[in-house]
Amino acid sequence: MDKTSLKTNANTLSEESVLNWQIIQKDFEKSFGTEVYSSWLKNILLVKEYNHYVILGVPTRFFRDWITSRYADKILSELKKHKLSINRIEFKIVGKEKLENGIISPDSNKNKIMEMKDSILNYNRLNNNLNFDNFVVGQSNKIAYLSAKKICTQLSIYNPLFIYGGVGLGKTHLMNAIGLELSSNNNVMFISAERFMYQFIKSIKKNEMVSFKDFFRRANVFIIDDIQFIRGKEGLQEEFFHTFNSLFDKSSQIVISSDRPPNKLDRVQDRIKSRLSGGLVVDIGLPDYDLKLNILRKKIEEFQKSFKEHPNLSDEVVDYLAKDTKSNIRELIGVFNRVVAFSKMSNRPLNINDCKIILKDVYNSIKIISIDKIQNVTSNFFSINLDEMLSQRRSRPLARPRQIAMYLAKKLTTRSLPEIGRKFANRDHTTVIHAVKTIDKLSKNDEQMRKNIEEIKSIILND
Ligand code: ADP
Ligand code: MG
């Protein structure tokens, strides 16, 4: 309905048109700020104006709920400035085209879906390298793997399928594999929760929520990665909930990954958590030695296939890598690549000691090193008492180790200088700076000092 028809009806209903929407919008922009205005208020139009209330048109239900919960009061008081008698606002959901033209143009929605499709596809292509064939199965991921395979042969047998586990354990790989397997015969949508949100916000801003909904609800296989991303994001949860329900109602297969089980998703609405756990919930655990070994073997095989040469890793080295990498598979593969690269560069097969040296940086960056640990190792190394090392005494046999420990605290942790100072019996940060400078200088000129530091470091890192 446009303003002309409002005027025509002006006398028959209790209407009294006073509001000039353009001017009001300008005021909105001033009082709400440009950002809120252009994301939200700009998209509101005046549909009908009565003496005591107005009907405002908004593009979507979500939009309406959002505005009602956040801005309705302020909108009302703004409107009152223009027309005091208004004491109520009603929001009506009407598509943007309708608001602008009075009709819905038949093609525009379709085009928007195409656009959205293009933009989503650019970010959410299925990766051909992450398939079921190269997913190595072990104790820790077997159930997740079998469930994933199962839904590919029998859609919606578990709905939703919820796969959770820590980082780098193969969740995305498995989700991608499901997508690949099903994509030839289905309309598969594979998206990370983060990307879903990006698309969602963009659609709100561009007033394309209708196409957004259409687009996502068309999928008959909907795979959403890293759902934990929605924690604490109310608007996103609202939209996700509706998307989930409409997909679920038409029996689309939904697959979800998360870094934790549904009941541990804090700051997520209970109704969503209950939906998420309503199908099959499976976890991927930490890989054991066998799985790591098999993954390394697979990687060697892949290497041989693509480079037509052997990566030159002895069984002993492979065994060491499988045993010694502690945390996750992504890291294991990173370590493998690094070792192979070094072996290629040095043109000789590596032994375990080489690996230790190569991998020191890797472990260094992933291990969290505490100042307490540095202090303990350092005082042990010099066979002095920890309390003495931290004391105010200035004799060199105590002062040097103290400075070395401060120096290592600076180099091996991310603590600030004042924090380090505090850990050393409340010393000032300038004392820490002085220690770092002194040891830096000494270790350049004094071979013994350099050796000691290396040794202490390696005890800290290898412990
Ligand atoms: P997550 O999504 O759980 O953080 P990813 O799926 O991204 O982990 O996996 C990290 C890396 O480890 C990827 O390169 C993936 O291909 C590989 N990976 C994980 N699990 C396996 C497995 N079982 N077999 C082969 N590669 C794996
Ligand atoms: Mg992932």
Side-chain angles (χ1 to χ4, degrees), residues 174-199:
L174 212 45
M175 310 274 277
N176 193 93
I178 297 173
L180 282 179
E181 186 91 354
L182 291 173
S183 59
S184 44
N185 294 322
N186 295 278
N187 187 358
V188 173
M189 173 77 55
F190 173 59
I191 192 166
S192 69
E194 186 174 4
R195 196 72 213 168
F196 182 77
M197 167 155 120
Y198 170 83
Q199 206 64 45

Side-chain angles (χ1 to χ4, degrees), residues 10 41 68 81 151-152 168 181 199 257 263 265 296 301 339 348 392 401 418 425 442 448:
L41 302 172
T68 311
K81 287 183 195 162
I151 55 163
C152 291
E181 186 91 354
Q199 206 64 45
S257 82
N263 61 351
L265 286 165
L296 289 171
E301 200 183 294
V339 170
R348 63 179 175 87
Q392 303 299 328
L442 282 177
Q448 187 56 42

Side-chain angles (χ1 to χ4, degrees), residues 171-173 225-226 257 330:
K171 299 182 297 293
T172 302
H173 188 138
D225 202 6
D226 289 325
S257 82
R330 180 176 298 133

Side-chain angles (χ1 to χ4, degrees), residues 341-377:
F342 269 80
S343 155
K344 290 286 154 210
M345 272 192 291
S346 58
N347 250 329
R348 63 179 175 87
L350 304 180
N351 59 32
I352 294 187
N353 251 346
D354 297 323
C355 292
K356 281 192 181 159
I357 294 168
I358 295 166
L359 300 181
K360 216 161 76 183
D361 286 355
V362 180
Y363 292 142
N364 184 3
S365 63
I366 53 184
K367 242 187 196 161
I368 295 170
I369 295 163
S370 69
I371 295 181
D372 288 335
K373 175 153 195 185
I374 292 171
Q375 291 175 338
N376 279 318
V377 173

